[in-house]
Amino acid sequence: MIKYCKRCVMPDTKPDLRLDEEGICNACRSFERRKEIDWAIRKKELVKVLEKYRSKDSSKWDCIIPVSGGKDSTYQVLRMLQFGMNPLCVTATTCHLSEIGRKNIENIKNLGVDYVEFSPNKVIRRKLNRIGLIQVGDISWPEHVGIFTIPVRAAVQYNVPLIIWGENSQNEYGGPAGDAENNVLTRRWLEEFGGLLGLRVSDLIGMEGIEKKHLIPYTYPTDEELRAAGATGIFLGYYLPWDGYSNALISQSFGFSTLNTTVEGSCVNYENLDNHQTGIHDYFKFIKFAFGRTSDIVSLHIRRGRLTREDGMTIVKHLDGKFPWTYLGKPIEDILQPLDITFDEFIKICDRFTNKKLFLCDSRGVLIKDKKGNVTKINYDNEK
Ligand SMILES: [Zn+2]
């Protein structure tokens, strides 16, 4: 049986999720501890860090902000401008950029910042998507590596030490820039926070004609380069109370566009709008670990008192983990076609990565699917 947190809707099949003796998950416990935080003190700490790294003679930028164009990065830019910072915004282009994603990138440029967009070799990128999907069941592997490596490369390249990251999954840690003793980024730190999911960049050399030279955008600078640039960073979510929904409201009031319908596989219209492959990424999370994007979003809202657990569960049953026939309106065949993967091949890959212990199978051990190709979890909530 799948066990669920008694407070939110997350299952214990999620990697790194632990339920305590009361049946509450570590994410809910961590959110609970946020109530004790003195945000006024944290804000003062932030101002101190920003002052320390601000360019004294205006000869270079004050900080690097990694921006996808999403609600959170738009919020990061707005906040840094409010603090009087002169940022250089850096985008690592997504694997399959959507129209609305492009629109939101243009919106960030119009907020009044200097901006660089880095687009890795698309031929190599598609090979990496293919390898990621087939080998580790993660089509977004190169994107998740690149959003960490590319801004760090920019920090070294432009000699701008401070990187302003958004939320930190650990929540209790402000990042090396706020650390009195050890405030330089190291590869060890980067590898811990910019997780590579067991598939290392160096493993890729030799696959499908990929050479070392093709992997520069996915490789961190050396420790010497990091030290020479004094590269460091903070997580804004440590210093300012972080809430994706309020970030979306703030960003929307400064031109950020949302979809006119909820995103496929999700229950909201204000996030994950910039990459047509995200639907496949989220679907694989579901078939491997029995939770999709809807479970994540619903849990965030439950913790903040905007949804009851009962209503949240109803939404999850209704929307979570549906087969990704389209994403941001694009049919799956059109999303797979550039990767040279047919629909039939895709189904085989899905079945290979579906955890048969978590989804209903027939007596021969074959996954049971409905007319729309959806699989069914063995249980959707704890037994009463
Ligand atoms: Zn929970």
Side-chain angles (χ1 to χ4, degrees), residues 202 214 216 276 357:
S202 55
H214 296 135
I216 297 167
H276 286 293
K357 289 186 189 125

Coordinates of all heavy atoms in Angstrom, one line a residue, residues 202 214 216 276 357:
S202 N 29.9 13.1 -17.3 CA 31.0 12.4 -17.9 C 30.6 11.0 -18.5 O 31.2 10.5 -19.4 CB 32.2 12.2 -16.9 OG 31.7 11.6 -15.7
H214 N 31.1 18.8 -26.6 CA 29.6 19.1 -26.6 C 29.0 19.4 -25.3 O 27.9 19.8 -25.2 CB 28.9 17.9 -27.3 CG 29.3 17.7 -28.7 ND1 29.6 16.4 -29.2 CD2 29.5 18.5 -29.7 CE1 29.9 16.5 -30.4 NE2 29.8 17.7 -30.8
I216 N 30.2 21.3 -22.7 CA 30.7 22.5 -22.0 C 29.5 23.2 -21.2 O 29.6 23.5 -20.0 CB 31.3 23.5 -22.9 CG1 32.6 22.9 -23.5 CG2 31.7 24.8 -22.2 CD1 33.2 23.7 -24.7
H276 N 7.5 22.5 -23.6 CA 6.5 21.5 -24.0 C 6.9 20.1 -23.5 O 6.0 19.2 -23.5 CB 6.4 21.5 -25.5 CG 5.6 22.7 -26.1 ND1 4.3 22.9 -25.8 CD2 6.1 23.7 -26.8 CE1 3.9 24.0 -26.4 NE2 5.0 24.5 -27.0
K357 N 4.5 -2.2 -8.8 CA 4.0 -2.4 -7.4 C 3.1 -1.3 -7.0 O 2.3 -1.4 -6.0 CB 5.2 -2.4 -6.4 CG 6.0 -3.6 -6.6 CD 7.1 -3.6 -5.5 CE 8.1 -4.8 -5.8 NZ 9.5 -4.3 -5.8

